[in-house]
Amino acid sequence: MAHTAGLSRWERRAIVAAFALTAALLLAATWVPSRTGLEGKVADRPGVVQVRALDAYGGASDYPFQRMPLRVEVTMDQDATAGEVLAVFEAYDSAIDGGGLISIDVTLAGPKRAVLSTGEGVHGTREAAQELVVAQADGNVATYRREAYPVLPLVEVDLVRGGFDEVVAVADRYRSVEDLESVSVASGRFALVRDAGNEDQRITDARQRLVQRVEVPLELSGAIVSGRGPLDLCIEPEDAQALKRLVGDDPESGTVGQVAVLRPSACDR
C-alpha cells in the first residue's frame, strides 16, 4: 500500500471509491442487476429479516438509459448462524464479480448491531462470518464492525469493560489475519489503533508497551495509542508529574515519540 501511505482512511477509501465508480459505470452499459432482483436473492433465506438494495453512491445517473451500481444492506436475526450469514454473501458472489453490485452489509439484529461489510470484488468468507457470530455472542463486545475491501480492510471493536490489557488482548486476536490492514479496539478511555498501511508499527508497539508499564502503578485514566500524532496519556492532574518522569525514564522513550499528558476527560471518545 505504498502508493496510499500518508493518506487518511477516508482519503484512501475515497480514492478506491472513485476507481470503483469509474469501473462500475463502464460495466453498467452491459449488466447491472435490478433492486428487486438483488433483494429477492436472499429475502427468503433462513435468518434474513430485511433486505434493501440502494444506489451505491447516491443520486441518479446523468445518462437516462444507464443504471447505477447498487449496494445491498441485509439485516439478519441476532442469533443467525455463521452458515446462514455465509449463504447470504455467497448468493451475491456473481453480482459482486459482475461489477453491478458494489458492496454487501450484513448486520445482526439487536443492540450490538454487529456488521460485516464486503465488496469491490472481495467475497465474504466462512472465517469472517464465524467471527461476526462470535462477536455477536461475546458479552464484552459492545459494537463490532469488519470491512473487507481491497483498500483498508479493517475491524473495529468497542468493549463493554476492561482496561488497556484487555484492549491489547482483543487486538492481538487479529495479528494473524492477513487480509486486515487496520485494527481498532477501544474500552472506555483506552483505545489502540494498529494501521499497517498508514503508520509505523514500531512506534505503535513501543507506545503499547509503555502504556502497559505505567497503567497500573500510576492508575492511568486512559490512553489513545496509535502510530500517528502524539501518544495521549490521561491521568488525574496530581499524578501528571510522576507520569512525565516515568515516560522520560522509559527505555523506549526515544521510539515512542511525542507524548501528551492530559486530564482524564481528554481521552473520552
Side-chain angles (χ1 to χ4, degrees), residues 3-266:
H3 61 292
T4 58
L7 298 178
S8 72
R9 162 187 170 184
W10 301 114
E11 288 170 333
R12 287 187 287 164
R13 183 56 53 79
I15 290 171
V16 77
F19 280 112
L21 177 58
T22 301
L25 291 174
L26 292 173
L27 288 166
T30 56
W31 181 80
V32 173
S34 68
R35 285 184 174 82
T36 55
L38 287 174
E39 292 172 350
K41 280 181 176 291
V42 300
D44 296 328
R45 296 284 180 120
V48 174
V49 176
Q50 183 184 49
V51 188
R52 297 196 307 162
L54 306 165
D55 285 339
Y57 303 108
S61 170
D62 291 332
Y63 304 95
F65 302 106
Q66 186 179 67
R67 285 156 62 181
M68 295 293 288
L70 302 173
R71 60 186 173 91
V72 168
E73 297 178 351
V74 182
T75 301
M76 301 188 69
D77 290 331
Q78 63 181 29
D79 58 353
T81 67
E84 291 170 343
V85 172
L86 181 61
V88 167
F89 281 102
E90 289 179 338
Y92 292 114
D93 279 352
S94 61
I96 285 286
D97 291 340
L101 178 62
I102 299 300
S103 67
I104 308 161
D105 283 11
V106 170
T107 302
L108 301 187
K112 190 173 299 185
R113 306 293 292 175
V115 181
L116 173 59
S117 179
T118 71
E120 295 167 11
V122 178
H123 293 182
T125 65
R126 181 169 296 278
E127 173 270 331
Q130 182 63 41
E131 182 188 300
L132 177 73
V133 171
V134 169
Q136 176 80 348
D138 189 334
N140 198 34
V141 173
T143 64
Y144 171 90
R145 182 177 185 86
R146 180 167 174 179
E147 298 183 2
Y149 292 94
V151 173
L152 197 60
L154 61 85
V155 63
E156 297 173 338
V157 184
D158 274 354
L159 302 179
V160 175
R161 60 191 173 276
F164 191 67
D165 281 344
E166 286 79 5
V167 167
V168 172
V170 172
D172 283 347
R173 297 177 194 171
Y174 299 100
R175 279 200 182 273
S176 61
V177 180
E178 294 182 356
D179 61 347
L180 278 177
E181 186 174 321
S182 176
V183 175
S184 302
V185 183
S187 177
R189 289 171 168 165
F190 291 97
L192 172 62
V193 179
R194 294 172 178 161
D195 186 346
N198 212 29
E199 294 178 352
D200 186 335
Q201 288 295 287
R202 295 171 302 171
I203 295 176
T204 306
D205 291 344
R207 290 177 170 184
Q208 172 194 308
R209 290 188 292 267
L210 171 62
V211 173
Q212 289 177 301
R213 284 191 287 270
V214 304
E215 177 189 3
V216 174
L218 287 182
E219 297 184 1
L220 206 61
S221 301
I224 311 298
V225 180
S226 73
R228 302 178 69 190
L231 166 62
D232 290 345
L233 301 179
C234 295
I235 197 166
E236 295 296 339
E238 59 267 26
D239 297 318
Q241 290 305 315
L243 175 57
K244 290 177 181 178
R245 286 194 296 271
L246 271 182
V247 170
D249 294 339
D250 192 86
E252 292 189 282
S253 60
T255 305
V256 165
Q258 183 182 359
V259 177
V261 177
L262 307 166
R263 291 178 177 271
S265 60

